[in-house]
Amino acid sequence: MKKVITYGTFDLLHKGHIRLLKRAREMGDDLTVCVSTDEFNAEKGKRAYTSYEDRKYILEAIRYVDHVIPEKNWDQKIRDVQENDIDLFVMGDDWKGKFDFLKDYCEVVYLPRTEGISTTKIKYDLGLTDSEDWKEEK
């Protein structure tokens, strides 16, 4: 059985999130999603609109997802890969190269982002932020 893991905040779930999860799951037999906790987001200077518990609940309901675990800090990835017998680490290509250190423990793949959609853009469109960082995500 090939085990896959991915990480993210998964706030304001949208088509890009679902496509990432679907593609990640298609690359293996079992998908673990590691979701940033509210406390970890605060450390990163981010605030999710939806609470960790609600994001976890939503992800557990998605057919591509087999397991959801909390992401509490940047340094847990190696431990997560080892403890969960992960074969493949998958992230969006906006993170390309950032997790290559995991290649000593598993295969690492960066998938292309879904164009035209991001949580940052949704927040901007809804007036929840005046940051136009989403323009840099293209």
Side-chain angles (χ1 to χ4, degrees):
M1 176 160 68
K2 188 172 187 178
K3 292 183 173 186
V4 182
I5 196 167
T6 192
Y7 288 73
T9 299
F10 296 97
D11 191 26
L12 301 179
L13 200 67
H14 55 72
K15 177 182 176 180
H17 291 134
I18 301 300
R19 285 192 69 230
L20 173 72
L21 297 171
K22 181 180 183 201
R23 291 181 292 169
R25 182 60 167 77
E26 288 172 347
M27 299 176 85
D29 306 299
D30 184 86
L31 176 61
T32 297
V33 179
C34 198
V35 182
S36 298
T37 62
D38 298 329
E39 297 79 13
F40 182 45
N41 278 335
E43 286 179 31
K44 295 187 284 185
K46 295 174 68 174
R47 183 178 173 269
Y49 180 81
T50 308
S51 72
Y52 166 78
E53 287 301 325
D54 287 351
R55 289 180 282 125
K56 180 178 185 286
Y57 180 83
I58 291 165
L59 286 164
E60 289 173 336
I62 296 172
R63 67 180 175 195
Y64 308 117
V65 177
D66 297 294
H67 315 280
V68 179
I69 60 176
E71 180 183 25
K72 298 178 180 180
N73 60 67
W74 287 112
D75 300 324
Q76 75 184 63
K77 289 177 180 63
I78 292 172
R79 186 181 69 242
D80 290 344
V81 166
Q82 291 175 326
E83 288 179 2
N84 294 285
D85 298 317
I86 299 299
D87 302 295
L88 175 63
F89 175 92
V90 175
M91 286 295 283
D93 64 2
D94 52 325
W95 290 96
K96 193 166 191 153
K98 302 277 191 217
F99 300 108
D100 287 353
F101 65 91
L102 291 172
K103 289 181 179 180
D104 291 339
Y105 306 93
C106 65
E107 182 182 358
V108 176
V109 173
Y110 300 98
L111 297 175
R113 292 179 57 92
T114 301
E115 290 188 32
I117 189 71
S118 73
T119 301
T120 307
K121 181 181 183 323
I122 291 170
K123 287 180 178 180
Y124 178 80
D125 290 347
L126 292 174
L128 299 174
T129 181
D130 52 359
S131 171
E132 296 187 43
D133 290 344
W134 60 272
K135 290 182 178 180
E136 298 170 12
E137 295 174 355
K138 293 182 178 183

